[in-house]
Amino acid sequence: MRKSYTILLSLAVLLSMVMSVQAMESKTIDRSNGASASADWCETNGDITTGKYLSVTETDDGTDIYLEIYTYGPDYWSGKSGYIFTEDDVFSIDRKLNSASLSDVEIEVCNWDTGETETLTVNADWIGMGDISRDSYTSRSQSGNYIWKSSGSSKYRDASATSSIDGMDLGASSYASLSNFKSAYMSMEK
């Protein structure tokens, strides 16, 4: 009888090991860490407003940079924008969101009306201002044997930014911010 119990116990242990291996094989986890900085420059002369917007997001994969330049009035709207992704080390940011810097990068921008393109050289510096705010989230969903879970946290801080485009100094930003974030995603089949 004792031998039967030993065999059953051994089978149960083996079965649980096989099941845990199968669960591990059907489990996917993705993690992402990153940081970002953005800034707006806006100027109004009479009824004409001119603005520039720059955003930089760095993850483990590389750095995304987006630039937009626009002008509008009562019966007028024009603009151009461009985007690049680079694996070069062009962006740095302090962990405590005290400062950030984008070194010279070339971005090809496209005119929204004509489709004409031009290449602009952009750089920027940010200085963190005020308190750091924090945010976090978690979510879970299930459909049949599939389970999805995601979670994330971020810190962000207001900032002041300066930039130049093709050597033209934009002066102090109208608004700017710095942030860093962590996120995780898991999918599992029971």
Side-chain angles (χ1 to χ4, degrees), residues 138-181:
T138 57
S139 67
R140 181 185 188 278
S141 62
Q142 183 171 350
S143 176
N145 293 330
Y146 290 92
I147 297 173
W148 296 270
K149 293 181 181 179
S150 63
S151 63
S153 63
S154 61
K155 295 190 299 184
Y156 50 93
R157 187 178 192 183
D158 287 342
S160 175
T162 56
S163 176
S164 72
I165 298 176
D166 271 0
M168 183 183 75
D169 186 3
L170 302 186
S173 59
S174 305
Y175 174 77
S177 66
L178 298 170
S179 66
N180 56 32
F181 55 87

Side-chain angles (χ1 to χ4, degrees), residues 14-169:
L14 284 171
L15 182 60
S16 69
M17 288 174 66
V18 168
M19 288 177 68
S20 70
V21 166
Q22 287 176 342
M24 295 261 306
E25 288 176 349
S26 64
K27 190 177 198 179
T28 302
I29 298 176
D30 290 317
R31 291 185 175 88
S32 178
N33 298 328
S36 66
S38 65
D40 283 294
W41 290 264
C42 193
E43 182 180 352
T44 301
N45 292 315
D47 56 2
I48 301 296
T49 299
T50 302
K52 285 98 176 167
Y53 173 73
L54 174 67
S55 71
V56 183
T57 302
E58 181 182 58
T59 64
D60 298 333
D61 296 326
T63 303
D64 297 276
I65 304 163
Y66 175 77
L67 175 67
E68 183 177 298
I69 301 170
Y70 57 88
T71 302
Y72 66 88
D75 299 311
Y76 175 76
W77 177 272
S78 70
K80 52 191 173 184
S81 60
Y83 162 84
I84 62 165
F85 170 80
T86 179
E87 294 179 353
D88 295 338
D89 186 18
V90 296
F91 181 66
S92 62
I93 187 167
D94 177 74
R95 285 188 176 187
K96 295 184 178 179
L97 305 181
N98 292 318
S99 63
S101 181
L102 174 68
S103 58
D104 282 350
V105 293
E106 291 187 342
I107 301 179
E108 184 178 75
V109 297
C110 179
N111 186 294
W112 300 340
D113 296 320
T114 65
E116 293 177 356
T117 62
E118 61 180 311
T119 300
L120 303 176
T121 301
V122 183
N123 62 55
D125 292 293
W126 287 260
I127 300 294
M129 301 169 61
D131 296 331
I132 293 176
S133 300
R134 291 173 170 81
D135 195 12
S136 63
Y137 72 90
T138 57
S139 67
R140 181 185 188 278
S141 62
Q142 183 171 350
S143 176
N145 293 330
Y146 290 92
I147 297 173
W148 296 270
K149 293 181 181 179
S150 63
S151 63
S153 63
S154 61
K155 295 190 299 184
Y156 50 93
R157 187 178 192 183
D158 287 342
S160 175
T162 56
S163 176
S164 72
I165 298 176
D166 271 0
M168 183 183 75
D169 186 3

